[in-house]
Each structure stands twice: as structure tokens, then as C-alpha cells.
Amino acid sequence: MLIKTSSDIPSSQITSESIYFNRRTFIKGSALTIGALTPKLSMAEQATTVALDYKPAAKEQESGFYTDEPLTPLDDVINYSNFYEFGTDKSDPARYADNMTTDPWSIKIEGEVDKPGEYHLEDILAKVDLEERIYRLRCVEAWSMVVPWVGFSLADLLKQFNPTSKAKYVQFETLHRPKEMRGQQSRFSTIDWPYQEGLRIDEAMHPLTIMAVGLYGKTLPNANGAPIRLVVPWKYGFKSIKSIVKIRLLEKQPTTTWQTLAPHEYGFYANVNPDVDHPRWSQKSERRLPTTFFSPNRMLTTPFNGYAEQVASLYTGMDLSKYY
Ligand code: MTE
């Protein structure tokens, strides 16, 4: 991104295990299962490893909810991550995000809704059904992954608060807690915290747009945005904001972190588009993780990250090189 371009971290150098699961009983009407534990985990970490109860991904591909492309190994999903609240290195989130307290957690709902307020995550989750979605994630830095998320549609969440007819956009905000997020303390950070993102209301209501609370069948690792994050698979990864504490329904297009920092490089829409290069690098292809220097696993990038059939109609008549 703006601060640092991507660098390869060979998986051979990666030592930490999937130790970042959080304690939370957010499974509707069902008992928790404690996940399989490996000897590498500390007692505290073992106590926080939680499996989720969810409907596995239906294997029909027309909806875009599923792909049969090889999954990116869990270790790479956790250890090759962007979460600038914990540092700019890909391995910083896995190293430092464990300090973030995610229980209790609540989300403030503000703006153009009939039912504004602060809602406990447990109460929000009691009203939704969790399901698996196997999505491609394409970072603007030209690397990509395939991740089996567990979550629910953002539309189902927003409907809980009755958006008014004036709600044309949705803005999201990440936790701002410098004591636990060392990147927010950094004097060198150019980001004006908290991290913010936004969507048009029709994008937010699209069936592909989900709030994820897990991946690989278990609660989200802190590094990947525990306890709840956005996933918008046809847009560059920076739109998929992590560790959300505020959702604001708005009449006007909101400000977003990367667009504010460098508007000529990062747009509000940020739809994956191989025909519009980033000013500093090409977007025509991507490295699909895991990669090594000798095996870069490079492939062509597809419009809307392969979800054109489902979402291209949202942008009919728009000049996508202007609204990038
Ligand atoms: N959300 C917050 N709050 N802070 C961030 O730095 N990085 C974004 C996005 N969400 C980011 C964030 C970027 S650039 C990407 S590519 C994805 O998270 C990466 O998600 P992952 O680490 O789960 O792969």
C-alpha cells in the first residue's frame, strides 16, 4: 500500500501456529466445541480456541459463494496479513494482534437507521445464521488468497436496524485502542486512526458482501480482524475492514482511510480491475499465496476478481477508470 510495498515471506520462515482464536460464545443455540489443540499452544491460547457452528459452503458456483480453487493454507492466511494497527510488516499482525481484547465486543450503529444504538456482538449474532463462503481475496498490492470464511450477509445485519430511505452509503470503523494496537501509537504512521471504510448501500446489501466472524471453521484469528470484519470479495482487500466497532448509515459518500491518504492511488470503489493499473504497479496479474521466489504462482487478474457475473450490473453506465 502507500507505506510499504509487499514483500515475500517464505512459509519456511513462519513458525507461529494458529494460536489467535478468541473466546466467545457466539453460536446461536448450540454448544461450543473446543478445537483440536496442538502441543505448541500455551494454556491460555488453548482455552481460547473455539470452533463455530455453521452451514458448510454449498458447492454450486453460480452464486459466487464457492470456488473449487485450492485454499490458501491457514498458516499463510494468518501470517501474511495487512493490519496496520499492528505494524506494516506482513508478519506484524500475527506477532502483535494477540494483545487486542475482543471480549466483550459491541458495535455502535449510527446515522440513518430507525434503531440506532450500541449492540453487543452476542445479541447481533443471535439473530443470524452462520454460513461458509469460499472467496478469493485480491489485495491491491497484487497478491491474492482463497479463504474459507464463516459469516453472514451484511444485508441481514443492516436489516436488524431498519435503515431509512435516506441511507445511501455505509461507513465502517475499526477499533481505536492505541494501548493494545502498537501501530496506532507509532509516530511514523501516516494513517489518521481509526481505519475507516465505506460502501454504497446496494454494494452493502449485495448477497456476496458478508460480515465474517471466522475462517477455516473457527473464530477469526486476531490478525485477520477478530471478532468481526467485512469481506467484499470483488473489491481490493483494503475495503474489507477488520475488527469493526462502528457502522454508520449515511446520505453522502463517506471518507475512507486509503482514499483520504492517496486519492490518486486508492479510490472509493476499489473494484478489482486488471485494466486500471495502480500508478506504481500493474494490476494485470497477481501472486496467489503461498508463493516462493522460485514458485511465484502468478496468474491473470480477472475483472471484479472473478465475480463480474454477480456484480457488474451494479456499475452499469459508470466509467470504471474514473471511479476506480
Ligand atoms: N482493516 C484494518 N482495520 N486495518 C488494515 O490495515 N488492511 C486491509 C484489510 N482490512 C486493513 C484492514 C488490507 S490492505 C487487506 S489486503 C486485508 O485487510 C487483508 O486481510 P487479511 O489479513 O485477512 O488477509
Side-chain angles (χ1 to χ4, degrees):
M1 307 277 293
L2 184 70
I3 299 172
K4 198 166 187 290
T5 52
S6 57
S7 62
D8 281 337
I9 301 170
S11 6
S12 57
Q13 287 179 11
I14 292 166
T15 48
S16 74
E17 263 287 350
S18 50
I19 56 174
Y20 298 99
F21 298 116
N22 300 320
R23 167 175 43 90
R24 182 175 298 282
T25 50
F26 51 56
I27 298 165
K28 198 172 141 190
S30 69
L32 293 177
T33 339
I34 301 301
L37 306 170
T38 76
K40 277 191 195 170
L41 303 185
S42 71
M43 285 309 283
E45 288 155 354
Q46 286 183 24
T48 60
T49 306
V50 175
L52 293 169
D53 186 16
Y54 61 93
K55 189 163 94 32
K59 292 202 168 28
E60 40 91 20
Q61 301 199 29
E62 303 77 63
S63 60
F65 294 176
Y66 173 83
T67 171
D68 57 10
E69 291 161 78
L71 300 181
T72 302
L74 177 62
D75 212 38
D76 295 278
V77 175
I78 295 174
N79 290 288
Y80 195 93
S81 169
N82 276 335
F83 200 169
Y84 278 26
E85 283 81 343
F86 297 101
T88 55
D89 203 88
K90 293 285 178 285
S91 58
D92 282 341
R95 194 170 299 141
Y96 301 115
D98 217 15
N99 293 332
M100 175 174 60
T101 312
T102 58
D103 188 6
W105 195 271
S106 56
I107 301 182
K108 280 196 182 126
I109 309 290
E110 299 177 349
E112 293 297 337
V113 284
D114 289 340
K115 299 189 210 165
E118 186 161 358
Y119 294 85
H120 291 297
L121 185 56
E122 281 77 4
D123 296 335
I124 289 173
L125 294 170
K127 295 188 184 136
V128 296
D129 291 314
L130 297 183
E131 60 177 289
E132 184 178 50
R133 298 285 180 89
I134 303 184
Y135 284 163
R136 292 173 287 278
L137 181 140
R138 167 61 157 84
C139 181
V140 75
E141 296 166 341
W143 53 267
S144 64
M145 299 183 182
V146 178
V147 183
W149 302 105
V150 177
F152 56 97
S153 82
L154 174 61
D156 283 350
L157 176 66
L158 296 180
K159 282 178 203 156
Q160 291 186 20
F161 315 111
N162 288 355
T164 72
S165 57
K166 285 190 186 157
K168 304 277 189 276
Y169 293 90
V170 189
Q171 186 182 37
F172 305 85
E173 238 175 68
T174 294
L175 179 70
H176 184 229
R177 197 181 284 156
K179 272 191 186 152
E180 296 182 4
M181 300 172 123
R182 65 201 309 272
Q184 291 179 341
Q185 302 163 14
S186 168
R187 284 185 293 123
F188 305 106
S189 173
T190 50
I191 293 181
D192 185 14
W193 308 105
Y195 192 103
Q196 293 181 322
E197 257 312 328
L199 294 172
R200 229 170 47 188
I201 192 80
D202 56 344
E203 299 175 322
M205 292 295 188
H206 193 280
L208 281 173
T209 305
I210 60 164
M211 296 295 278
V213 293
L215 53 81
Y216 270 100
K218 293 182 182 168
T219 47
L220 277 180
N222 279 14
N224 298 94
I228 184 162
R229 70 174 293 174
L230 184 69
V231 179
V232 194
W234 72 94
K235 292 178 179 284
Y236 290 121
F238 67 86
K239 298 296 287 183
S240 292
I241 177 171
K242 298 175 169 181
S243 305
I244 294 170
V245 291
K246 206 175 274 181
I247 299 179
R248 210 175 275 130
L249 283 284
L250 297 169
E251 204 170 354
K252 301 237 164 68
Q253 186 175 306
T255 53
T256 60
T257 292
W258 287 103
Q259 194 192 17
T260 305
L261 266 176
H264 56 294
E265 299 193 359
Y266 309 105
F268 175 80
Y269 282 92
N271 293 319
V272 175
N273 191 344
D275 297 329
V276 176
D277 285 338
H278 185 281
R280 290 184 278 135
W281 59 84
S282 164
Q283 294 293 21
K284 294 226 174 320
S285 68
E286 65 202 56
R287 287 183 304 113
R288 173 67 53 84
L289 298 183
T291 64
T292 63
F293 184 74
F294 295 107
S295 169
N297 202 17
R298 196 159 272 287
M299 55 183 69
L300 290 177
T301 290
T302 48
F304 299 104
N305 201 21
Y307 300 96
E309 199 185 317
Q310 291 83 18
V311 301
S313 62
L314 297 177
Y315 309 101
T316 309
M318 280 176 68
D319 177 354
L320 296 179
S321 61
K322 187 170 166 209
Y323 296 101
Y324 52 91

